[in-house]
Structures are given as structure tokens and as C-alpha cells.
Amino acid sequence: MQPTKRLGRFTVELASPPSIIGFASVVGKKEGEGPLKNSFDRINNDTTFGEKTWEKSESRMQAETLSAALNKTSLAPGSLDYVFAGDLLNQCIGSSFAVRDMALPFYGLYGACSTMAEGLGLASMLIDGGFANHTTAITSSHFASAERQYRMPLEYGGQRTPTAQWTATAAGCCILSSEGNGPYITHVCTGQIIDLGVKDSNHMGAAMAPAAYETLSALFKETGLAPTDFDLILTGDLASFGAQILRDMFQLDGIDLGPNYHDCGVLLYDAKKQDVHAGGSGCGCSASVLCGHILNGMKDGTWNKVLFAGTGALMSPLSVQQGETIPCICHAVVISNTKKEGA
Amino acid sequence: MQPTKRLGRFTVELASPPSIIGFASVVGKKEGEGPLKNSFDRINNDTTFGEKTWEKSESRMQAETLSAALNKTSLAPGSLDYVFAGDLLNQCIGSSFAVRDMALPFYGLYGACSTMAEGLGLASMLIDGGFANHTTAITSSHFASAERQYRMPLEYGGQRTPTAQWTATAAGCCILSSEGNGPYITHVCTGQIIDLGVKDSNHMGAAMAPAAYETLSALFKETGLAPTDFDLILTGDLASFGAQILRDMFQLDGIDLGPNYHDCGVLLYDAKKQDVHAGGSGCGCSASVLCGHILNGMKDGTWNKVLFAGTGALMSPLSVQQGETIPCICHAVVISNTKKEGA
């Protein structure tokens, strides 16, 4: 017996697609100087967010993002039935410290930069499954806390390679509801771990692109939808090299992702002027691009059907030191202004 | 409109409780010398599990546990619709490396030592919600990888306080199905983050007990069930001090948890003979006790209704160094040999 909502190995179609009733993004100074600066709810030029450590700054940013998203709804914080949150910090302290005072049912996630898509998928399924009326997916990353943990303290002034990505100081939050006027999450495609042997943690786009290819291929196959059925296909965060690799992989299948394909890591910064090398990364990169530029654009009709595919590299500094390759994953959701196909 | 499956703020009652059709536990030498030694599927006296690093040893152990659980079912690995996995290692590499070659839809979790309960809750809801037929929850911990990451390299021979807990070298896995003869997961109570200001990371039982109190209190209140309605109430892993604190907190409410209350951290080792101080901890502690001693006992009728409450401390070594208190969480599931109350 195949569950009725299941279209295939990786994709489910939601019977009662939840509506995104509130969303918000909060970013740092550099992100606020980029091409999407007008799409964020708040740009904080003080990237300490008034805190004494970068980790606490990230938690503060994530908490402010949740508050900003809630403020766009009529909901009291206590109305949230489930919070799905995660970040890049060891033991995910960016998230657990952000919401520890809110007394909300909490599920901690770890999906690296795919966490926003992972959270949206689970938050949507718990509403569609009749377990909740209101859920939220939230995630964050902070350049300084990430550099310290993954690479080296900022004070060291480490060199970066051309393929390296810039961890965004950013957070994004979506509030989902069983009722609302959209945009709606209509499909959830859960990723599998893909590891094709890339070892260079300064070339994560190359490591993650095959995971994005597998997830998008599965979604196209299982839904019967083609790239041309979407106004926008958005990966996060393959950046410039990874996005081209993804296009090339689909070209080998005779599929052109076309002009509607973009990547959050490419969109967030002006690569020429902002010295981010390949582009942005970090849980907050795709989250802040989605919860600003993209959802604003869906609200004003710029896009009506978006395929949002969060990509994550699941290595750790220690696994890299131990000579391991980089396992990656990509989770995708279909976001549409139409609740049901043909409706 | 309250979703029909929702009993209150934290607890849902599953309409079609999934069945645990397979479970397995794999542990290290010390765990295999403890009182539960006859309940494990495999005891590996070589705690390297044949690998060159402790982190790879942990991944190997987790992978072996999943295989052992699957072998007790008629399922091919590809039949699993979702894998929920997590561990204590930075970026959860214990889990992502364990399943990276299996091409399975994967959701990475971080709930510290509550991860098994967190995974069981989500894995159960996705089946009950019609998204999956077969799901699995798996988690692990390894004494050596945890000591290196959280405390100090084993070679340093660090001193331990009387309240300190011993991270178990253990893994546990449950395979859930929409069909089967039980035991069944009938209720899921999702935890909130509780932080009462404890800062001593060598006294995590004290930090986690209030989270267990809040979750168990919510479950009792929302289900109308009393401690006496369960054959066994099992926390993991408060250890000896934390378990007594939990009893004391309920005593203040006039509630006696009674002789049926036990803690996985207390059960796993012989505290007198095995020098574990307050008892066991780690994601693998409650997972291996549940997926061995407890579920075997439910199968043979020793217990028919079990309240399994996984507890986790969500701090990181860095948050402790920064003087932060310890946020904690407790997720609970009700496991019963009877699919429906009164049935």
C-alpha cells in the first residue's frame, strides 16, 4: 500500500497545502549592501547585534527574525504548534539559544545550508498531516561565527580561493498555517545524501551540485513537472561554480534549466563589487533570499510557481582533516500561489 | 480549528499508530559488560569498530545498527521512506557518514541525547500523516569521540566529578511501519526548551531534569494519563542525580513517579562496579536501552505500556566557555502493545 500523498521515492504531494502567512529576513551590513538590500526586513550594520560573542549575535539575529515574521501575522508566539530550527554552529546553539525562552514545541534540525528547505518540508507535512495549525521554519548563519568554527579566526586574515563561498550573516523565517491565502507549499521532495568524492571544502558548490541534481531530477520525474513549469527554480547555495555544474549535469540529460534557474548564493551578493568569490553560503543565505526577495516577488505576482531547493554540505572540519570526502544533500519544496494544480 | 490529532500544546494522539517492526542495538565493550549485556544485538569489544578514527568508528557502529534492525524485517533498505538520524558530533557526521551510501530520503536532527525520542516522534507522525509506509529513527554516541569533542582527549586522563555522566558507546535503531503487530507508538509529546540556569556541564542531570518534568507533566495533563497508567516510565539520560531531581519535582506536585520510573543512564551500567559516576549519557544510551532491553521486554510482555522520554542538553563546549547556562529539552513518545486505548 503506497501512501496516497506519496508520488515516488522522494516526493510527496500535500493534500491540503499549508499557506505561508508570514515571513521575515534579517541580515548584516554586507548583505544589506548587496543587490537584494531592499527585500530584507532589517539590515543591522552592527553585526554583533549588540552581543558580546558572534555566537550570541547569531542567536539574537535568529530571534529577531522570528519576532519579525510573527509580527506580520495575527498570531501570538504561543500559537506556534512546532518550531523547526537549525544552524551551522556546533550543537546548533544558534537556534537553541534563540528560542529557549519561548516555551514552544521545538525540533532541532541539522541540514547545513539545506536546513531552511528541510524545515519547510517537515513544518508543511505536520500541518498537512493534521498535527498542527501553525508551524515555523527558521534558520541562520553568521559570517564571523562560521569563519571561527569552520576556517580560522577573522583576525588571522586567511586567504580564500576563487571557488570559496562567503557565509552570509543572515536569518530567514517562514510561518506556515493550515489556513491562508498563500503562497502555498504544495510538494516536498526529501533529499538523499550524495557524495561523489569531492574533498575540497573550499569548493562546496562542486560537492553539492550532484545532490541538487539528484533531488531536482527526482522531483521532475515524480511530479511530471518540467523546468519550464516553474517561474523560478532556486538552489541555495551552489554559488557560481556549483550552479554552472548543475546546469551542465542537466544538459547531459538534454534538459536546459533555462533562464528561470537561479542560485541564492549568486543572488545575495554582487560578486564583482563585494569580494565574495564564488558567492554566498550558510543556512541564512537561502533562508534570507527566500524570506525576502522571493516571497515578496510571489506576493506581487512576479513569480507564481517556485521550486526552492536548499543544498547542504554535511562535512565537519574534523571529517575534512581526516581526509574524508564531503557528503551533501538537497531538500526541495514547491511553493505556488495556486493551492492545487488546475485549481 | 484545533487539528483533530492534537490533545494540547505539546501532545498529539496518532490516528493510526505505527508499529515498531524492527529494532536493534550495537554497543561497545564497557556497555557489553553492564547489566543489560544480554539485550544487545551486538557487543563490539573493539571499540574502534575497525576504523582509524573514533568518529569513523561511531559512523560504522550506526550503520551496523541500521543493518541489524533492517535484517529483523522483510524490508529492503530501499523500502525506507524516511531516515531520521542524529548524533552528538559537530555537524552530526556520525549520522551523515553512516547512511551516505544508502540513497535514502534523509532528515538530519540535532536533539543531543533526546535525538532518539525526537526521531521516533517525527518518524511516527510522517507515517500517521500518510507520507510514508516505513520510516526509521537511528542515533549513536561514542565515548571516545564525545570525550575528545566535549571534554579532552582520552590520553589526558581528565578527572571526572561525581555528577558527571559517561557517554555511552552505543547505537539504537527502530524501524516503523504503517502495518504490523506492535509495539505501537500511540502518542508524541514534543518538548520545549527549558533553561533554569544550570551552568555545570558536569551536572547535566540537574540541567535536564526540569525539561523532563515539563514534558512529562504536559503529557500527563493533555492525555489524562497518570504515572500509574504506565508499566514503565523511562527517561534518558538523567542518570542518578537527575532522576532523583525529577522524582522530587513531581513530589512537589503530590505525584509519586513510583517504582515503575527508571532512567536509561542508570540502567545501562552498574554504577558501583563500572566507575561511570552518575550514570550513562549520549544519544546512544537511551537508544540502545530502548532498542534492546525495553522493546525486548515489551515483546515478551514484561511491559505493555511504556512512556519513553529522551532528554537532551543543547549546550556546546563554546557556549559553556562563554558562561552560558544549559538549555535542555525532552521529547516523549508513548509506546504500547495495544494499538488503541480500550481496543
Side-chain angles (χ1 to χ4, degrees), chain B residues 75-125:
Chain B
L75 300 179
S79 306
L80 292 172
D81 297 321
Y82 296 106
V83 174
F84 287 91
D87 57 85
L88 293 172
L89 296 179
N90 296 344
Q91 288 69 60
C92 303
I93 56 172
S95 304
S96 51
F97 283 81
V99 302
R100 66 174 160 174
D101 301 322
M102 297 186 70
L104 296 170
F106 177 84
Y107 282 122
L109 303 178
Y110 186 74
C113 305
S114 74
T115 301
M116 190 62 185
E118 179 183 7
L120 283 173
L122 288 166
S124 299
M125 288 193 278

Side-chain angles (χ1 to χ4, degrees), chain A residues 1-6 8-15 53-56 77-82 84 88-93 95-97 99-111 117-118 121-122 124-126 128-133 148-150 178-179 188-195 314-319 322-327 329 331, chain B residues 1-6 8-15 53-56 77-82 84 88-93 95-97 99-111 117-118 121-122 124-126 128-133 148-150 178-179 188-195 314-319 322-327 329 331:
Chain A
M1 183 269 294
Q2 181 83 319
T4 53
K5 296 171 182 176
R6 202 161 182 89
R9 284 278 296 129
F10 299 97
T11 314
V12 295
E13 179 172 16
L14 302 184
T53 73
W54 296 124
E55 293 73 24
K56 294 181 185 185
S79 306
L80 292 173
D81 296 321
Y82 297 105
F84 287 92
L88 294 171
L89 296 179
N90 296 344
Q91 288 70 59
C92 303
I93 56 172
S95 304
S96 51
F97 282 81
V99 302
R100 66 174 160 174
D101 301 322
M102 298 186 69
L104 296 170
F106 178 84
Y107 282 122
L109 304 178
Y110 186 74
E118 179 183 8
L122 288 166
S124 299
M125 287 193 278
L126 290 202
D128 186 63
F131 303 104
N133 276 332
R148 165 153 72 183
Q149 177 180 285
Y150 285 100
S178 55
E179 297 173 0
V188 176
C189 185
T190 306
Q192 59 183 304
I193 295 176
I194 301 292
D195 184 340
L314 302 176
M315 86 296 179
S316 78
L318 190 58
S319 71
Q322 293 180 1
E324 270 294 353
T325 53
I326 302 175
I329 196 161
H331 298 293
Chain B
M1 184 267 295
Q2 181 82 321
T4 54
K5 297 172 182 176
R6 201 161 182 87
R9 284 279 296 129
F10 300 97
T11 314
V12 295
E13 180 173 14
L14 303 183
T53 74
W54 295 124
E55 293 74 23
K56 294 180 184 185
S79 306
L80 292 172
D81 297 321
Y82 296 106
F84 287 91
L88 293 172
L89 296 179
N90 296 344
Q91 288 69 60
C92 303
I93 56 172
S95 304
S96 51
F97 283 81
V99 302
R100 66 174 160 174
D101 301 322
M102 297 186 70
L104 296 170
F106 177 84
Y107 282 122
L109 303 178
Y110 186 74
E118 179 183 7
L122 288 166
S124 299
M125 288 193 278
L126 290 201
D128 185 63
F131 304 103
N133 276 332
R148 165 154 69 184
Q149 177 179 286
Y150 284 100
S178 54
E179 296 173 1
V188 177
C189 186
T190 306
Q192 61 183 303
I193 295 176
I194 300 293
D195 184 341
L314 303 176
M315 86 297 178
S316 78
L318 189 59
S319 71
Q322 292 181 0
E324 269 294 352
T325 52
I326 302 175
I329 197 160
H331 298 293

Side-chain angles (χ1 to χ4, degrees), chain A residues 146-165:
Chain A
E147 284 297 306
R148 165 153 72 183
Q149 177 180 285
Y150 285 100
R151 287 165 281 267
M152 53 188 75
L154 296 179
E155 294 76 3
Y156 288 13
Q159 295 283 309
R160 304 174 64 245
T161 66
T163 56
Q165 294 175 233

Side-chain angles (χ1 to χ4, degrees), chain B residues 114-182:
Chain B
S114 74
T115 301
M116 190 62 185
E118 179 183 7
L120 283 173
L122 288 166
S124 299
M125 288 193 278
L126 290 201
I127 289 176
D128 185 63
F131 304 103
N133 276 332
H134 306 108
T135 61
T136 186
I138 181 165
T139 181
S140 64
S141 56
H142 194 297
F143 176 76
S145 61
E147 285 297 307
R148 165 154 69 184
Q149 177 179 286
Y150 284 100
R151 287 165 280 269
M152 53 187 76
L154 295 179
E155 294 77 2
Y156 288 13
Q159 294 285 308
R160 306 173 63 246
T161 66
T163 56
Q165 294 174 235
W166 186 278
T167 305
T169 298
C173 176
C174 275
I175 311 282
L176 306 182
S177 174
S178 54
E179 296 173 1
N181 303 318

